[in-house]
């Protein structure tokens, strides 16, 4: 069992090291795979989790906010509400995500 855990940890660390070498972690949106703009990286999402550092593009953030504005209906007919939680760590992004969008839009249109 310990050997399995050790091999998994080694493979995870080598995969993250190769991703860091390629630079793919910060260059594209993890949701839609488009390149992140400079304003996306200058004003990252303010995830309350100190270890998350998840960031996605302005377009995906706007779609994310829009999807939370109304109650959705599930396939079984039950209603549910989508909350503004980080897609990576599930922390609440509600208090800061709209500020992030405003900062990005200001940079987008002024630069």
């Amino acid at each position: 069992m310990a050997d399995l855990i050790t091999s998994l940890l080694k493979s995870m660390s080598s995969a993250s090291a190769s991703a860091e070498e390629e630079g793919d972690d910060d260059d594209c949106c993890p949701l839609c795979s488009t390149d992140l703009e400079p304003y996306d990286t200058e004003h990252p999402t303010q995830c309350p989790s100190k270890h998350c550092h998840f960031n996605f593009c302005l377009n995906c953030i706007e779609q994310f906010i829009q999807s939370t504005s109304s109650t959705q209906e599930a396939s079984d007919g039950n209603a549910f509400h989508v909350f503004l939680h980080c897609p990576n760590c599930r922390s609440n992004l509600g208090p800061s995500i709209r500020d992030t969008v405003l900062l990005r839009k200001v940079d987008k249109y002024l630069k």
Side-chain angles (χ1 to χ4, degrees):
M1 181 73 166
D3 293 334
L4 176 64
I5 293 173
T6 305
S7 66
L8 285 173
L9 288 174
K10 285 182 183 179
S11 66
M12 288 172 55
S13 66
S14 65
S16 67
S18 65
E20 287 176 8
E21 289 173 6
E22 293 173 7
D24 289 343
D25 286 348
D26 296 332
D27 294 342
C28 66
C29 175
L31 301 179
C32 67
S33 298
T34 60
D35 289 339
L36 290 175
E37 297 292 334
Y39 51 80
D40 292 325
T41 56
E42 289 173 11
H43 304 290
T45 53
Q46 302 296 314
C47 189
S49 171
K50 301 297 180 202
H51 305 288
C52 180
H53 305 294
F54 187 80
N55 195 15
F56 46 116
C57 70
L58 179 60
N59 188 38
C60 287
I61 290 176
E62 289 176 329
Q63 289 178 11
F64 185 50
I65 291 172
Q66 185 178 18
S67 72
T68 63
S69 64
S70 63
T71 302
Q72 308 289 324
E73 185 175 327
S75 61
D76 62 0
N78 290 325
F80 67 94
H81 185 78
V82 178
F83 295 98
L84 288 170
H85 290 167
C86 175
N88 190 42
C89 71
R90 308 302 299 154
S91 294
N92 184 11
L93 294 175
S96 65
I97 198 163
R98 287 178 176 81
D99 293 339
T100 301
V101 169
L102 289 174
L103 288 170
R104 289 183 184 190
K105 283 185 176 183
V106 165
D107 276 2
K108 178 180 179 179
Y109 295 116
L110 289 181
K111 290 185 179 183

